[in-house]
Amino acid sequence: MKRLNKTFFAFLLALLPMMAMAQIDGEFIKPRTGKFLLQNATVVTITKGVLNNTSVLIEDGKIKQIGANISADGAEVIDCNGMFIYPGMIDGGTKLGLVEVSSVAETVDYAEVGNFTPNMQALTAVNPNSVAIPVTRVSGVTTVLTVPSGGLFPGTAALINLNGYTPDQMYAGFKAVVMNFPSSGRRGRYDRRSDEDIKKANEKALKEANELWENAKSYATLTANGAELEYYPEMAQLAKATTGELPLLIEVNTASDIQAAIKWIEGKGAKVIFEGVAEGWRVAEEIAKAGIPVVTGPIQALPTRESDRYDAAYANAGKMAKAGVKVAIRTNGEENVRNLPFFAAFAAAYGMGKEEAWKAVTITPAEIFGVADQYGSVEEGKVANLIISDGDPFETKTQIMHVFIDGYRMPLSNRQIRLYQEFLERSPGLKIN
């Protein structure tokens, strides 16, 4: 017991320097809740235009009131004169919280063993203490969809807010069963399989997908009729996608595979969302006709084919949106989800336009995920996920001044900032002879 106490106190002493560094110019260290009045800002609501010289009252985690000359007894007043209030950005596809160091297997938790594991819950695996989360928050990203990957049905994705001590506290109200649609192409430049072998592998994977789907439909029917079935959590989870209880999130990228996926879902009655869709621009009208919403990205990426223009990935989102597809943007990131505003900026510059690009990282993903009544815009009654900046967050020079998640005022600190401050003015410093 004495040895344990000594170890514990040594641990606390080791933490003190880090805690001291986290205290930035008297700034608080932990998120804190309360009643906040954001005064005299330019409010970019996303859905109801831009409101000049407007205040926003936050209370009980919600946007209580929006307007001019708001008075609120007991509220902490934050002067936002010359600043802009936006809704927190939503990344429609990441691995945030599921991986800490990608080269260390013990910290990678987004892929399970096996080809059929739809019951594996991303929400359960999320690490609320991931150092990448505060790094992401200070860029204005407040909510992300964290998505497992791996086999044909690798697990169930979950939408999370980037604040909380437990995964359940972070949960933002949306889950979806993930499917990696069988690819008809090569896995990369080092894939030496013959065309015949690739075709056979694709046909085998599609056959397996069809069998699993039909079995899941039967499972759902039997369960609904009161049949007593053996414990089969994988089938029970996929059955929820066949009945529409949970959406089916299909990762698909090449044009031919997108067309095959559109055909595959016909008549299945599933609520489908396409993820990735790197070559969506080639078949945008077909996606629009099918009425399937899309979460595309990464935007800052190389073209999928050497013959494509250099800006194919940049322009993909805009071309699909112009064809009538409902488009949200993702980073598909592990550590660099913080770059979401700059991905959106590229999409805006390459044909999507700033207004649509803002929607693609706020209200559009909220609509796709069925949580638009809570997130995605600055409106009274919605969850107070807000960012306050000194300019347009799509611009790299813009500073995020305040971040609110679930009404909590977040500390604008993270490991990268602390390291920067530590080594900016070193004491003792280096002597140059």
Side-chain angles (χ1 to χ4, degrees):
M1 181 63 70
K2 289 182 178 179
R3 181 179 298 175
L4 181 61
N5 287 337
K6 287 181 179 179
T7 303
F8 177 71
F9 285 117
F11 174 74
L12 288 180
L13 288 172
L15 281 180
L16 288 176
M18 185 63 72
M19 292 173 68
M21 281 193 291
Q23 190 74 18
I24 306 172
D25 296 329
E27 182 71 11
F28 54 90
I29 297 174
K30 288 186 175 183
R32 54 187 174 87
T33 189
K35 190 175 181 180
F36 302 95
L37 181 58
L38 315 179
Q39 284 188 329
N40 306 319
T42 299
V43 180
V44 184
T45 68
I46 301 299
T47 55
K48 297 184 178 181
V50 178
L51 308 176
N52 296 313
N53 196 28
T54 300
S55 299
V56 176
L57 177 63
I58 298 172
E59 188 175 358
D60 298 326
K62 303 281 188 177
I63 301 172
K64 188 77 171 181
Q65 190 176 353
I66 302 172
N69 303 317
I70 297 175
S71 60
D73 294 336
E76 179 180 339
V77 178
I78 300 175
D79 183 13
C80 298
N81 187 36
M83 300 182 192
F84 299 81
I85 298 177
Y86 292 87
M89 283 179 264
I90 302 171
D91 192 318
T94 75
K95 293 182 178 65
L96 190 63
L98 301 181
V99 57
E100 201 65 22
V101 182
S102 56
S103 59
V104 179
E106 289 79 3
T107 72
V108 177
D109 212 8
Y110 57 75
E112 297 292 332
V113 176
N115 201 41
F116 180 55
T117 57
N119 57 310
M120 294 296 102
Q121 299 285 336
L123 184 64
T124 302
V126 164
N127 174 17
N129 299 308
S130 170
V131 296
I133 287 177
V135 170
T136 302
R137 284 194 305 241
V138 299
S139 291
V141 182
T142 60
T143 309
V144 305
L145 185 70
T146 187
V147 184
S149 64
L152 183 61
F153 291 97
T156 299
L159 190 69
I160 58 173
N161 287 320
L162 302 186
N163 179 39
Y165 286 104
T166 68
D168 285 340
Q169 289 177 343
M170 302 171 75
Y171 182 52
F174 171 80
K175 290 184 179 181
V177 175
V178 180
M179 177 186 186
N180 288 312
F181 195 80
S183 174
S184 60
R186 297 187 182 277
R187 296 172 185 146
R189 65 179 64 184
Y190 301 108
D191 188 347
R192 303 302 182 190
R193 294 177 299 168
S194 67
D195 290 344
E196 185 64 24
D197 286 342
I198 293 172
K199 182 180 178 181
K200 287 180 179 179
N202 177 252
E203 290 174 349
K204 181 181 177 181
L206 279 173
K207 181 181 178 182
E208 182 181 5
N210 286 326
E211 289 176 351
L212 289 170
W213 189 266
E214 291 304 316
N215 289 340
K217 283 176 63 178
S218 298
Y219 188 96
T221 301
L222 289 170
T223 302
N225 292 330
E228 294 185 8
L229 305 174
E230 291 186 6
Y231 181 63
Y232 198 165
E234 295 90 345
M235 199 58 69
Q237 187 70 359
L238 183 58
K240 294 177 182 178
T242 67
T243 62
E245 180 180 345
L246 287 178
L248 184 66
L249 195 70
I250 299 180
E251 177 75 26
V252 62
N253 283 288
T254 66
S256 59
D257 288 343
I258 293 168
Q259 291 172 319
I262 292 172
K263 185 176 181 180
W264 185 81
I265 64 174
E266 287 179 359
K268 286 187 166 56
K271 300 175 184 176
V272 174
I273 302 167
F274 279 174
E275 284 257 334
V277 203
E279 292 188 354
W281 60 277
R282 296 182 184 276
V283 289
E285 291 183 2
E286 294 176 54
I287 301 172
K289 184 178 179 180
I292 301 169
V294 162
V295 181
T296 190
I299 303 298
Q300 294 177 355
L302 294 172
T304 54
R305 309 182 193 186
E306 291 184 357
S307 58
D308 288 341
R309 283 175 52 96
Y310 76 95
D311 60 356
Y314 310 158
N316 184 36
K319 288 181 177 179
M320 284 192 287
K322 286 182 178 178
V325 180
K326 182 184 282 289
V327 180
I329 291 174
R330 70 172 188 178
T331 59
N332 199 29
E334 298 174 5
E335 298 93 357
N336 288 321
V337 182
R338 60 182 178 175
N339 289 332
L340 178 66
F342 311 127
F343 280 29
F346 264 64
Y350 285 85
M352 195 174 206
K354 185 181 289 187
E355 184 177 346
E356 286 302 314
W358 261 110
K359 289 180 180 179
V361 291
T362 53
I363 193 62
T364 298
E367 290 172 347
I368 291 173
F369 301 148
V371 293
D373 61 330
Q374 296 292 312
Y375 303 102
S377 62
V378 185
E379 297 182 58
E380 292 180 2
K382 288 195 174 185
V383 174
N385 280 14
L386 302 172
I387 58 176
I388 297 92
S389 65
D390 63 2
D392 187 343
F394 286 3
E395 299 283 348
T396 55
K397 67 179 181 180
T398 295
Q399 298 294 312
I400 304 296
M401 311 304 294
H402 306 283
V403 174
F404 288 86
I405 301 178
D406 278 330
Y408 282 79
R409 188 180 178 192
M410 308 305 298
L412 296 185
S413 175
N414 58 51
R415 185 172 183 270
Q416 295 179 1
I417 291 173
R418 292 194 294 270
L419 287 172
Y420 171 78
Q421 292 174 331
E422 171 69 13
F423 290 95
L424 181 63
E425 295 181 5
R426 288 174 287 187
S427 181
L430 296 175
K431 293 182 179 180
I432 300 176
N433 296 325

